[in-house]
Amino acid sequence: ANPSSAIAWLRSAPTFAYMGEPREARRRADNGLRLSPHDAHVFYSYAVVALSSYAAGDYADAAQWARRSAALNPRFTANLRFLAASLAANGQLEEAQNVATNLLRVDPNFSAARFAQGYAFKDPAQRNLFGKHLVQSGLPK
């Protein structure tokens, strides 16, 4: 209805990532970020790009965007989960463990496997891989 609505583009991107269409998710996230690059909540935009990259299996890119989000809002747990998982998937275990420690400070009852099994990814294999990466980062199973 409004092709210039950054929030509409950004809010629709995760849905496509969850449905298994990470390229479309990234296109939407990039479009939203292009429309509103200086938004007060740009940390959310960066986290959506990170989610899209993670869903595409581009863990290095996901970590880069998630780091940018964390620099602006270090307590945004949705982003910290993808930062930890992306770093672990990319073999950066020491940094992943530091992120996991920070996540547990904000959410001390977090359970990686339980969270991943109920996460929005349509594909059960993607949910399992997400859980595996979260555990590899040092988060409790």
Side-chain angles (χ1 to χ4, degrees):
N2 183 353
S4 296
S5 174
I7 195 75
W9 284 106
L10 287 162
R11 296 279 176 167
S12 67
T15 301
F16 283 87
Y18 300 147
M19 292 185 323
E21 297 181 36
R23 286 189 187 140
E24 179 62 16
R26 180 61 185 260
R27 185 185 76 80
R28 288 170 177 271
D30 286 345
N31 201 28
L33 188 56
R34 181 185 58 77
L35 289 167
S36 186
H38 304 293
D39 188 285
H41 295 106
V42 74
F43 70 89
Y44 173 81
S45 304
Y46 295 162
V48 170
V49 176
L51 162 61
S52 300
S53 292
Y54 179 87
D58 189 347
Y59 305 124
D61 190 60
Q64 173 190 328
W65 285 99
R67 281 188 196 104
R68 290 178 75 180
S69 177
L72 296 173
N73 187 342
R75 297 180 57 83
F76 184 38
T77 57
N79 179 64
L80 293 176
R81 292 187 296 259
F82 279 102
L83 179 53
S86 297
L87 290 166
N90 207 38
Q92 297 170 278
L93 296 180
E94 186 175 332
E95 187 179 355
Q97 290 169 351
N98 290 336
V99 173
T101 298
N102 291 337
L103 174 59
L104 290 172
R105 282 188 190 119
V106 179
D107 186 1
N109 296 319
F110 183 79
S111 163
R114 184 182 63 211
F115 180 82
Q117 286 308 308
Y119 200 66
F121 287 123
K122 179 180 177 184
D123 181 6
Q126 182 73 42
R127 287 193 304 269
N128 289 335
L129 184 61
F130 184 40
K132 176 183 167 192
H133 291 153
L134 290 170
V135 170
Q136 285 177 337
S137 77
L139 289 162
K141 195 171 191 178

